[in-house]
């Protein structure tokens, strides 16, 4: 176990990233450590990149801990490039983040100077500063970097002064491309993670409006304006938020959501009417509304559609509209539907989610034509224990007792072996050991069909595996 990152206090004590944890504790016995979470770090970096959209729309992440901002055309709004950089750095430091920044004519130059150059030093010309960087700034593989050092080429300038053909022959064309991008001789365009700003429209009044009906009529106008913007973007709204700002400083928010992207103003207004009818506290203007605002924070692509010659709605539109209205009336979490789960564990193969949640990418597994269903229509949760007479170690069941009644097995099919999700650990969330299951489709003397399984491999996972009835076929 090694240190992945250290703060300024630990660095002052002589600790650095890459040091073994045992050595670090030997130097600082009361060292506070936390587990490295790369997913959380990436999520935090992505959130910072989104927030940097207030400074420039051209922002991209530079993993594992960097951000690249193209401030061309934006710097004058903040008093120049350096003033803008200092503003961003001050904002990040307020969040408790250690910042190391620099400015460069290209994204590669800024990246290299920030990670390998002098801290926040712009006194030196950029070409001179780049030539003084270590060869690590090329970010080649460890073998190539070691080869450059052994050849006496320890700086970017030393590599740049050598014939390019010799460098390419020894270290490959990738080394030349990295060098030319760093020197500005090859293009290295920034690929920003650009997010189009959300649709947001507001209508302010010269005098407070004390009529709720008039405020709702203004909301209709805002919806029409939002539809125009969504049409220009070829997108449809999934969530609409109406904000009524009162003169006394209070804000009343109404939020509606749709299961499919829409640009139908009539449908949107019906959802707002449903939402208003469910309010326990009516839409009271108080001393009047100063402003009515409409936001569409969640949108999805919605290309123009061609209606049929006979007119009418697209198939499924009426069902989607019904789900929208019911979810708005009773609450988003009151109406659910099932979607397929990304797992081979039978009881986890379907997940109940709010009906308005986006449709799953996965498709339900379909049986082969003419074949019986692979899974039963009814599943027991949890599976019910049964007493089984079966051949050891892995034979099929001959008879079993379920709910105090003995049943004779006439036909069986199997086993279908389903292993545990070993990549999640040896135990499930309830602390139980994950075991292999052998499933059988069986039929008793009365013609009833069951889905049973042996829980655990005999002699390898358990000395006495139990049997369970998991479902009934129709």
């Amino acid at each position: 176990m090694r240190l992945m990152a250290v703060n300024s206090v630990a660095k002052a004590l002589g600790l650095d990233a890459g040091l073994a944890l045992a050595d670090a504790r030997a130097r600082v016995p009361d060292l506070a450590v936390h587990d490295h979470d790369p997913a959380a770090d990436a999520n935090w970096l992505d959130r910072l990149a989104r927030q940097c959209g207030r400074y420039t729309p051209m922002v991209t992440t530079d993993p594992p801990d960097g951000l690249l901002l193209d401030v061309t055309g934006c710097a004058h709004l903040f008093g120049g490039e350096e003033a803008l950089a200092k503003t961003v750095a001050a904002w990040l430091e307020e969040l408790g983040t250690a910042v190391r920044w620099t400015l460069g004519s290209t994204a590669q130059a800024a990246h290299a100077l920030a990670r390998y150059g002098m801290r926040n030093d712009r006194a030196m010309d950029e070409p001179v500063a780049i030539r003084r960087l270590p060869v690590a700034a090329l970010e080649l593989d460890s073998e190539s970097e070691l080869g450059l050092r052994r050849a006496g080429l320890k700086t970017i300038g030393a590599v740049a002064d050598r014939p390019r053909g010799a460098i390419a022959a020894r270290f490959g064309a990738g080394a030349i491309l990295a060098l030319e991008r760093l020197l500005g001789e090859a293009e290295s365009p920034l690929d920003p993670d650009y997010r189009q700003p959300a649709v947001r429209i507001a209508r302010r009044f010269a005098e407070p409006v004390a009529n709720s009906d008039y405020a709702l009529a203004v909301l209709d106008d805002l919806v029409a304006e939002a539809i125009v913007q969504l049409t220009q973007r070829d997108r449809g709204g999934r969530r609409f938020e109406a904000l009524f700002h009162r003169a006394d400083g209070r804000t009343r928010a109404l939020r509606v959501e749709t299961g499919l992207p829409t640009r139908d103003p009539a449908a949107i207004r019906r959802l707002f009417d449903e939402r208003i009818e469910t309010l326990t506290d009516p839409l009271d203007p108080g001393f009047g509304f100063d402003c009515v605002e409409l936001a569409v924070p969640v949108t999805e692509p919605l290309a123009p559609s061609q209606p049929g010659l006979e007119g009418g709605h697209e198939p499924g539109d009426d069902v989607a509209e019904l789900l929208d209205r019911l979810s708005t009336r009773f609450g988003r979490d009151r109406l659910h539907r099932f979607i397929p789960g990304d797992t081979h564990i039978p009881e986890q193969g379907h997940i109940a989610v709010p009906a308005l949640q986006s449709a799953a990418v996965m498709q339900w597994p379909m049986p082969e034509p003419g074949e019986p269903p692979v899974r039963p229509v009814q599943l027991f949760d949890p599976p019910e224990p049964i007493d089984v007479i079966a051949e050891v170690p892995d034979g099929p069941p001959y008879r079993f007792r379920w709910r105090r009644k003995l049943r004779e097995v006439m036909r069986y099919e199997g086993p279908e072996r389903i292993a545990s999700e070993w990549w999640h650990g040896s135990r499930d969330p309830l602390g139980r050991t994950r075991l292999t299951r052998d499933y059988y489709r069986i039929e008793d003397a009365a013609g009833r069909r069951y889905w049973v399984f042996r829980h655990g491999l005999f002699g390898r996972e358990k000395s006495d595996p139990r049997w369970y009835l998991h479902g009934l076929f129709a």
Side-chain angles (χ1 to χ4, degrees):
M1 300 181 64
R2 296 183 177 276
L3 303 182
M4 294 297 299
V6 296
N7 60 7
S8 57
V9 178
K11 188 176 288 291
L13 295 174
L15 306 182
D16 205 349
L19 183 66
L21 178 60
D23 295 338
R25 290 191 183 279
R27 299 181 188 181
V28 184
D30 56 346
L31 179 66
V33 296
H34 302 276
D35 291 338
H36 180 220
D37 190 347
D41 291 346
N43 180 56
W44 173 242
L45 189 63
D46 183 67
R47 291 171 60 187
L48 291 179
R50 295 186 185 186
Q51 294 296 324
C52 284
R54 69 183 72 176
Y55 306 110
T56 173
M58 306 289 284
V59 184
T60 186
T61 57
D62 183 22
D65 54 1
L67 294 172
L68 289 172
L69 284 70
D70 187 345
V71 298
T72 304
C74 303
H76 68 282
L77 300 174
F78 298 88
E81 295 178 349
E82 190 163 351
L84 173 56
K86 290 181 178 179
T87 300
V88 178
W91 167 66
L92 291 172
E93 289 173 351
E94 289 180 359
L95 298 177
T97 305
V99 183
R100 181 184 179 97
W101 65 269
T102 191
L103 296 167
S105 57
T106 65
Q108 293 292 334
H111 167 91
L113 291 172
R115 293 188 180 276
Y116 304 98
M118 298 296 291
R119 182 180 177 86
N120 305 349
D121 184 11
R122 296 206 67 214
M124 189 182 305
D125 291 338
E126 182 179 311
V128 177
I130 290 178
R131 292 179 63 87
R132 293 187 177 183
L133 292 176
V135 292
L138 294 175
E139 296 190 343
L140 305 176
D141 57 88
S142 57
E143 184 178 350
S144 297
E145 182 181 341
L146 181 60
L148 289 172
R149 293 180 181 277
R150 287 178 175 175
L153 307 178
K154 299 182 179 181
T155 63
I156 299 298
V159 178
D161 292 338
R162 290 300 181 97
R164 303 292 170 86
I167 298 296
R170 173 63 179 83
F171 302 102
I176 298 301
L177 181 59
L179 177 63
E180 291 179 347
R181 284 182 173 178
L182 189 54
L183 297 176
E185 300 174 2
E187 293 186 359
S188 56
L190 189 67
D191 185 15
D193 186 12
Y194 177 71
R195 294 176 175 84
Q196 201 169 28
V199 174
R200 185 175 291 272
I201 307 170
R203 184 71 54 81
R204 304 182 186 279
F205 308 117
E207 296 291 338
V209 175
N211 191 332
S212 299
D213 293 336
Y214 180 79
L216 293 176
V218 171
L219 177 61
D220 291 340
D221 296 337
L222 298 183
V223 169
E225 295 181 26
I227 296 302
V228 173
Q229 295 191 24
L230 292 172
T231 304
Q232 294 173 349
R233 302 181 182 186
D234 285 340
R235 301 186 72 84
R238 285 286 313 279
R239 185 181 301 164
F240 299 84
E241 299 181 358
L243 303 176
F244 298 87
H245 302 279
R246 299 197 333 184
D248 57 1
R250 296 183 179 181
T251 299
R252 192 64 183 272
L254 299 178
R255 298 178 177 86
V256 297
E257 191 173 357
T258 62
L260 298 174
T262 182
R263 291 197 295 262
D264 185 356
I268 298 171
R269 180 55 197 270
R270 283 196 296 269
L271 292 179
F272 274 117
D273 291 341
E274 291 280 356
R275 185 72 183 90
I276 292 173
E277 291 179 4
T278 60
L279 295 176
T280 55
D281 184 15
L283 191 63
D284 182 13
F287 294 101
F289 295 116
D290 282 338
C291 174
V292 177
E293 186 177 3
L294 176 68
V296 191
V298 180
T299 62
E300 289 183 2
L302 180 62
S305 60
Q306 177 67 42
L309 295 177
E310 68 280 1
H313 297 286
E314 291 290 330
D317 286 352
D318 294 336
V319 176
E321 184 177 345
L322 175 62
L323 294 178
D324 295 342
R325 296 181 63 182
L326 292 177
S327 298
T328 301
R329 179 178 300 178
F330 300 113
R332 185 179 189 274
D333 297 328
R334 295 294 183 89
L335 194 64
H336 292 80
R337 61 188 175 92
F338 287 104
I339 62 174
D342 186 15
T343 177
H344 61 275
I345 304 300
E347 62 269 23
Q348 300 174 8
H350 55 276
I351 305 171
V353 299
L356 296 181
Q357 185 168 316
S358 299
V361 178
M362 295 181 56
Q363 299 294 328
W364 290 105
M366 300 299 294
E368 295 291 336
E371 293 292 328
V374 180
R375 298 290 183 264
V377 177
Q378 178 183 358
L379 286 180
F380 294 114
D381 185 21
E384 298 190 4
I386 57 177
D387 296 326
V388 174
I389 297 178
E391 187 175 341
V392 177
D394 52 6
Y398 293 129
R399 62 178 59 91
F400 66 97
R401 186 182 300 276
W402 175 51
R403 295 182 178 177
R404 300 182 180 180
K405 185 175 181 180
L406 186 64
R407 291 168 170 84
E408 193 79 19
V409 177
M410 305 303 296
R411 297 178 180 88
Y412 75 90
E413 184 178 3
E416 176 190 358
R417 179 160 293 179
I418 298 181
S420 63
E421 294 180 325
W422 51 266
W423 52 90
H424 291 319
S426 59
R427 296 186 178 275
D428 61 14
L430 299 179
R432 299 171 300 191
T433 304
R434 301 182 189 271
L435 301 175
T436 304
R437 304 179 186 179
D438 280 346
Y439 278 89
Y440 291 87
R441 290 190 290 183
I442 61 176
E443 180 179 325
D444 66 5
R448 300 184 182 90
R449 296 184 177 182
Y450 311 86
W451 203 41
V452 301
F453 69 91
R454 180 194 296 111
H455 197 211
L457 300 179
F458 183 85
R460 285 181 283 176
E461 294 180 346
K462 292 192 69 176
S463 59
D464 185 19
R466 292 295 308 275
W467 285 81
Y468 294 89
L469 177 63
H470 204 167
L472 301 175
F473 290 94

